[in-house]
C-alpha cells in the first residue's frame, strides 16, 4: 500500500511498480515546515526539488519597490523548485516559502538518476512533463500580458480549485498581477458563477 502522496505520484507519473517506488525512498527526505518557513532564499544556489505532501508553498520575488510577486502556488501533490538554479547552476531568482504548516519531500538529481534506472521510458516521460510545464508557463505569461482581471481569476480558480479559501486575498491578487481591491470587485462580479 502506498504510504505517501509522493510515492503515489512517482508510481502514477513514471509507471513504476510499488516495489520499484519503494526503492526510491533512500533518495529523498521528508521535512516538516512551519508556516512562514523559507525553503529557498533568493540568490542561493539550489539543487533541490520540493514535492508537497501536505500543506501549501509559494514561490515569489520582490520588485525594486518592495512589492511581492507570486510566481506559483504549490498545494498538495505539486512540485516546486528553481529550475534555473538546479539545471543551469544559477543563483535562485525567487524564494520558496510555506504558506501553511507543510510536509515536503526534498530530492535532487540523484533521485532522477535512480529513477531513470527503474523507468524504461524515463526520457519520454520526463520530456512530456517538461513540455507540460513550459506550456503552463506560456499560458500564464499570455494571461498576464493580455487577459482581463476576471479572466485571470477564473483561470486561477480552474488551476487551483481549492485554494481560494486557503490563500489570503492579497497573495491571490499578487499572483494575478492586480490590486486586492480589484480582486474584491472581480470576486463580487462572478460570485454567482460556477467553475
Amino acid at each position: 500500500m502506498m504510504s505517501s502522496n509522493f510515492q503515489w505520484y512517482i508510481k502514477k507519473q513514471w509507471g513504476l511498480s510499488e516495489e520499484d517506488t519503494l526503492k526510491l525512498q533512500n533518495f529523498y527526505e521528508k521535512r516538516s515546515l512551519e508556516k512562514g518557513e523559507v525553503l529557498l532564499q533568493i540568490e542561493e544556489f539550489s539543487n533541490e526539488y520540493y514535492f508537497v505532501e501536505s500543506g501549501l508553498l509559494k514561490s515569489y520575488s520582490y520588485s525594486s519597490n518592495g512589492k511581492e510577486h507570486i510566481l506559483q502556488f504549490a498545494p498538495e501533490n505539486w512540485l516546486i523548485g528553481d529550475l534555473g538554479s538546479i539545471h543551469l547552476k544559477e543563483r535562485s531568482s525567487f524564494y520558496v516559502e510555506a504558506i501553511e504548516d507543510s510536509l515536503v519531500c526534498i530530492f535532487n538529481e540523484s533521485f532522477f538518476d535512480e529513477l531513470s534506472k527503474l523507468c524504461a521510458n524515463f526520457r519520454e516521460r520526463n520530456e512530456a512533463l517538461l513540455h507540460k510545464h513550459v506550456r503552463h508557463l506560456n499560458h500564464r505569461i499570455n494571461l498576464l500580458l493580455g487577459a482581463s482581471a476576471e479572466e485571470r481569476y477564473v483561470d486561477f480558480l480552474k488551476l487551483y480549485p481549492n485554494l481560494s479559501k486557503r490563500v489570503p486575498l492579497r497573495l491571490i491578487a499578487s499572483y494575478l498581477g492586480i490590486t486586492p481591491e480589484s480582486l474584491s470587485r472581480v470576486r463580487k462580479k462572478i460570485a454567482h458563477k460556477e467553475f
Side-chain angles (χ1 to χ4, degrees), residues 62-127:
Y62 289 104
S63 60
S64 58
N65 66 0
K67 183 178 178 184
E68 182 180 24
H69 298 280
I70 304 294
L71 306 172
Q72 177 188 351
F73 294 107
E76 292 83 4
N77 302 320
W78 279 59
L79 284 169
I80 193 168
D82 188 328
L83 297 180
S85 190
I86 295 167
H87 295 287
L88 303 175
K89 310 303 182 217
E90 299 172 346
R91 293 180 184 274
S92 177
S93 57
F94 55 80
Y95 300 89
V96 175
E97 180 181 327
I99 298 176
E100 301 173 348
D101 289 347
S102 301
L103 177 64
V104 296
C105 293
I106 302 172
F107 56 99
N108 59 31
E109 286 301 311
S110 65
F111 172 86
F112 287 108
D113 291 343
E114 192 64 23
L115 177 60
S116 68
K117 296 173 189 173
L118 299 171
C119 180
N121 57 350
F122 172 80
R123 181 178 170 157
E124 293 83 6
R125 286 178 182 258
N126 194 42
E127 284 182 5

Side-chain angles (χ1 to χ4, degrees), residues 3-4 7 20-29 111:
S3 61
S4 74
Q7 289 173 333
D20 282 344
T21 301
L22 293 173
K23 290 177 184 176
L24 293 167
Q25 285 182 317
N26 294 328
F27 295 91
Y28 64 89
E29 65 174 279
F111 172 86

